[in-house]
Amino acid sequence: MASDAKVRFGRIRWPGDARAVVCVTIHVDGPAVEAGRGQNALGIHGRGSYALRRGIHRYLEMLDRHDVKATFFCCGYDAEHWPEPFFDISKAGHEIAAHGYQHEGFDLGEREPELLEKTHRILEGFGAAPVGWCSPSGRKSRLTLPTLRRLGYIYDASEKDEDIPYLLEDGFMILPNNTVSLDDFPMYFTGGASAAEVERNFVQEFDAALDRDGYVHLTVHPRAGGGSGTPARAAAVDRFLAHARATPGIRFMTCRELAEYCLSEPSRWQETRA
């Protein structure tokens, strides 16, 4: 495995000969999460509303300060009912990508294309039609990618089976995300980690990637509860961004920018996957 990693590293050429690329992805996960479960957004079920009230703007300020453009994965339900924060995301120059209608955590069956299309129509009203998608639950079916292709999508950020992007045979780009150690939600919600522990883990994963393939796909949630919307947890992400920004040879990219870069030389990513 070690020799394989060296071969793959030698084939990767990041934009501007960067040492590593960092994709910061913000999974908004507002009240859509609770709505999808049939819960009202009150009391203990109001944690998603925190993202719309505080979390999104906390991250917009943070990203602006670090001069980083991010990809915001957004649920159609949230953008449909509370559009103002999503217009703010678009005005700030960040990418808006799709993340389900009500953050569906169940198999949709034959309704899946309908909901993918509905979310697509909602999100394209915020400046540009989305070209990227991430499953809100990790589930995909035989209908998912054909529908996304038909709608003009170019990448999926749902897979967990690689350290680097790869190209499917039909030319669809996969940008894997590491939901074990570069995603705040499982560490807070399942692992009961502290903000300091999550920050340390992010930094360790980033530093390790520098000496290997150089792909860092960070996922944070601006909600309360299992996310990083609240002050101390957001501050941990802030310090991580400062660490990454201070590292020579780092290139921040939105998922769309990275997918387009990879698709500009498709044979390179087919070989890398092999």
Side-chain angles (χ1 to χ4, degrees), residues 165-184:
Y166 62 89
L167 189 67
L168 298 181
E169 290 182 358
D170 64 354
F172 202 79
M173 205 70 213
I174 302 296
L175 305 183
N177 68 345
N178 178 347
T179 54
V180 176
S181 51
L182 278 171
D183 186 329
D184 60 349

Side-chain angles (χ1 to χ4, degrees), residues 18-53:
R19 186 181 178 191
V21 297
V22 180
C23 292
V24 177
T25 66
I26 313 294
H27 289 214
V28 175
D29 290 6
V33 175
E34 285 72 32
R37 298 170 181 164
Q39 300 165 335
N40 60 40
L42 300 173
I44 197 172
H45 301 311
R47 292 166 176 165
S49 298
Y50 189 93
L52 305 182
R53 292 175 179 269

Side-chain angles (χ1 to χ4, degrees), residues 25-31 33 47-48 50-52 56 71-75 78-79 85-86 89 99 103 220-224:
T25 66
I26 313 294
H27 289 214
V28 175
D29 290 6
V33 175
R47 292 166 176 165
Y50 189 93
L52 305 182
I56 288 177
T71 297
F72 283 74
F73 284 101
C74 306
C75 295
D78 290 333
F86 298 91
I89 292 169
H99 196 43
H103 201 275
V220 295
H221 300 73
R223 59 188 279 128

Side-chain angles (χ1 to χ4, degrees), residues 60-95:
L60 289 177
E61 183 278 327
M62 183 192 307
L63 293 166
D64 180 67
R65 184 159 31 82
H66 288 290
D67 192 24
V68 169
K69 297 302 181 189
T71 297
F72 283 74
F73 284 101
C74 306
C75 295
Y77 178 89
D78 290 333
E80 180 181 35
H81 291 85
W82 299 275
E84 292 80 4
F86 298 91
F87 280 118
D88 292 337
I89 292 169
S90 179
K91 288 176 184 176
H94 300 288
E95 178 189 4

